[in-house]
Amino acid sequence: MQVKRMVSYFFGKCMRLAVLLVAVSAFSYILVNNSPIDPVQSYIGADMTKVSPEQRANIAEYWGLNEPPVQQLFQWGKNLLQGDMGTSLIYRDPVAGVIAERFLASLALMSVAWVLSGLFGFTFGVIAGMNEGSWMDKLIKGYCFTLASTPAFWLGLLLLMLFSVWLGWLPIGFGTPAGILAEEVTFSDRLRHLILPGLTLSIVGLANIALHTRQKLVEVMNSEYVRFARAKGEDGLTLLRRHGLRNISLPAISLHFASFGELFGGAVLAEQVFSYPGLGQAVVEAGLGGDVPLLLGIVLCSTVFVFAGNTAADVLYKTIDPRMRRGEV
Amino acid sequence: MMAGKILKMGFRQRTITSIVVSFLLLLIMVLSGLWIGEEQLEIQPEDMNEAPSLHHLFGTDWLGRDMLTRTFKGVTISFGVGILAAFSSTVIALVFSLLASVNGKADRVVTWLIDLFLSVPHIVLLLLISFAMGGGFQGVVVGLAFTHWPSLTRVLRAEMLQVKNAEYVSVSRKLGKSRLWIARHHIIPHLRPQLFIGFVLLFPHAILHEAAITFLGFGLPPEQPAIGIILSESMLYLSTGMWWLAVFPGLSLLLMVALFDILGRNLRKWADPFHGQKGV
């Protein structure tokens, strides 16, 4: 029974993902195809005067741009199913390879930021929620609301100015030190280049989770069972551990899983500020350079990423909370 | 004396004061930006790269342009883009939520569309649409309009479902009132405050996303002093220690977004009877 339900759940999710990917790719393909930005033009770039009309026609034919759009879409979809996402126009490499390499760098950045913002956000939320109305609560709340209005890239610029330009503690950008061979880059080098973008992303990501946790904890603290527990003499950390944490940690974790989309968006901006060679920087370059295959590839990749986060949140709820499994809530 | 008086105000009075103050501050910011003409943005080579002083409160850039006037102009541009985008998003959200209330099938289609739009990271979607539109002012506004409606549509749809299933609406229906009559007299009055507050709260998001996408190079053209443009230009001069190029424009943007956020949240407190007397 249990196994059967799990299998059907799994297949349901796969179906959803498949439908989603088809819809997203068709939608983005139509969008990109109607763009007034000519891929051949942006490919040639500054060499415009040196390229004859015949050569242009050759390039267009080589990329299959002469065929009708619908046929192009099907061709692209067919290749995609065979694992071939096309060739990036900027990097002159298969898109899948570029994305895989870039995604690893982004993943390092995003996972650091995700864990840090989760831990600190949750802690701040708990502190604020336990002391509702106190100066600490007001401080944390004010801080979170300010952060919610802060442009993430501006925060990155401030950190860059403070730590790299003014204090000179950390490198100004890029994923690895300049002028060093790729094989000689040490782990600590990479780590030093990860600190600032990671910090930017964590500080921005923290606000949402802290406010949510605070809200939930305030609700719990005003409930009947907590009043009863207080009447029995429980307070402080014991009260928090027995009645608070169990009720608020699950929504917080699944909210944090469901925020992969914002995390990715933040990474795009942070990577741009710090010239960090991740997927976010690649998507900006692809968009500005008219690199359609790479752009589409990254759109699909980020969709899968967000879907994975949402599914993880869902599964977590179902496995941990018995009420969800029985469909009571 | 003054502070004592403010602290003694009731909750409702405080809400109204916040609304009025934030509204006035926003008005001042926008009007001062409108008042700045082209001649004040001109290049003045004699005072290049000056640090903030009494004469140039925000300093000057590498072309000698006064950063204070550029910043205010930029904030006004952001405001214009924000108002266009937030308004069109609200209209889209209203249309979709009305569509969702027609029947079950339409509702499923709308929900699916919401999920579809929320399943791609916001920035990536913006980038894609603005790429498809060929960038520029038009690209940003269309991109912002087509990416900010899902959350508001969700709120409106939930609200409408609730009203539709309320007893007094079924009584109305049993009494033979037409769909249009019910929509006009029962549903729209409920949606109006939600719609207006949703519109105000869309603003901060739209402005922040506009700045972000412009910063990335997909948005407004470089000759306009939008905040995103100012900040991305400032990146070239950061390593020379010209901190004022980035700090003040960003701070002004933050101020405007925060003011809109305060305005929206307090309007909600003011309009919503359930939160009228207690802070959230």
Side-chain angles (χ1 to χ4, degrees), chain B residues 139-197:
Chain B
V140 183
V141 173
V142 172
L144 290 173
F146 277 99
T147 51
H148 283 82
W149 59 270
S151 49
L152 183 59
T153 309
R154 255 190 194 168
V155 174
L156 291 180
R157 179 182 159 269
E159 182 80 17
M160 216 177 287
L161 276 180
Q162 210 181 350
V163 179
K164 250 175 69 177
N165 294 327
E167 268 180 17
Y168 62 90
V169 176
S170 8
V171 170
S172 256
R173 208 173 292 139
K174 287 270 151 59
L175 285 173
K177 300 287 187 202
S178 70
R179 282 184 102 104
L180 201 70
W181 195 93
I182 291 174
R184 267 230 333 264
H185 289 84
H186 293 323
I187 296 182
I188 300 282
H190 263 279
L191 287 189
R192 219 181 285 136
Q194 296 276 6
L195 207 58
F196 180 65
I197 291 160

Side-chain angles (χ1 to χ4, degrees), chain B residues 18-122:
Chain B
S18 312
I19 293 175
V20 172
V21 170
S22 50
F23 182 75
L24 283 180
L25 283 176
L26 279 172
L27 204 65
I28 293 171
M29 269 181 121
V30 173
L31 285 184
S32 58
L34 284 178
W35 182 59
I36 295 166
E38 286 295 320
E39 68 278 6
Q40 274 153 297
L41 293 168
E42 265 174 18
I43 296 166
Q44 277 154 348
E46 63 271 20
D47 19 277
M48 254 162 45
N49 301 341
E50 268 180 37
S53 62
L54 273 182
H55 189 53
H56 296 289
L57 277 180
F58 286 9
T60 59
D61 65 2
W62 62 100
L63 292 171
R65 289 174 294 190
D66 181 44
M67 287 310 286
L68 180 69
T69 46
R70 287 196 87 203
T71 301
F72 270 86
K73 196 79 193 161
V75 166
T76 313
I77 293 174
S78 290
F79 176 81
V81 173
I83 219 167
L84 256 174
F87 182 74
S88 5
S89 259
T90 315
V91 171
I92 296 175
L94 179 66
V95 169
F96 271 128
S97 53
L98 284 174
L99 215 67
S101 72
V102 172
N103 57 33
K105 211 176 221 166
D107 185 49
R108 273 202 294 283
V109 171
V110 170
T111 328
W112 186 75
L113 269 179
I114 294 175
D115 287 342
L116 179 67
F117 270 80
L118 289 180
S119 64
V120 183
H122 203 140

Side-chain angles (χ1 to χ4, degrees), chain A residues 122-171:
Chain A
F122 190 72
T123 316
F124 281 177
V126 167
I127 294 172
M130 284 299 281
N131 306 297
E132 193 198 351
S134 70
W135 63 268
M136 254 194 306
D137 179 29
K138 283 186 183 132
L139 190 76
I140 290 175
K141 230 168 66 176
Y143 172 73
C144 289
F145 277 130
T146 313
L147 270 187
S149 326
T150 309
F153 56 98
W154 179 63
L155 190 75
L157 283 178
L158 288 190
L159 291 176
L160 187 71
M161 276 192 287
L162 185 63
F163 290 107
S164 303
V165 179
W166 197 37
L167 295 172
W169 290 352
L170 292 163

Side-chain angles (χ1 to χ4, degrees), chain A residues 2 25 39 56 64 66 79 99 120 131 149 209 211 216 221 238 267 277 288-290 327:
Chain A
Q2 189 78 11
S25 44
R56 288 173 149 246
N66 298 334
N79 288 341
I99 289 183
F120 281 100
N131 306 297
S149 326
I209 189 95
L211 284 176
K216 283 274 173 216
M221 282 300 153
T238 324
L288 290 176

Side-chain angles (χ1 to χ4, degrees), chain A residues 164-191:
Chain A
S164 303
V165 179
W166 197 37
L167 295 172
W169 290 352
L170 292 163
I172 268 186
F174 303 109
T176 50
I180 293 183
L181 288 177
E183 300 90 60
E184 290 168 17
V185 177
T186 59
F187 181 69
S188 73
D189 278 336
R190 286 184 195 280
L191 208 61

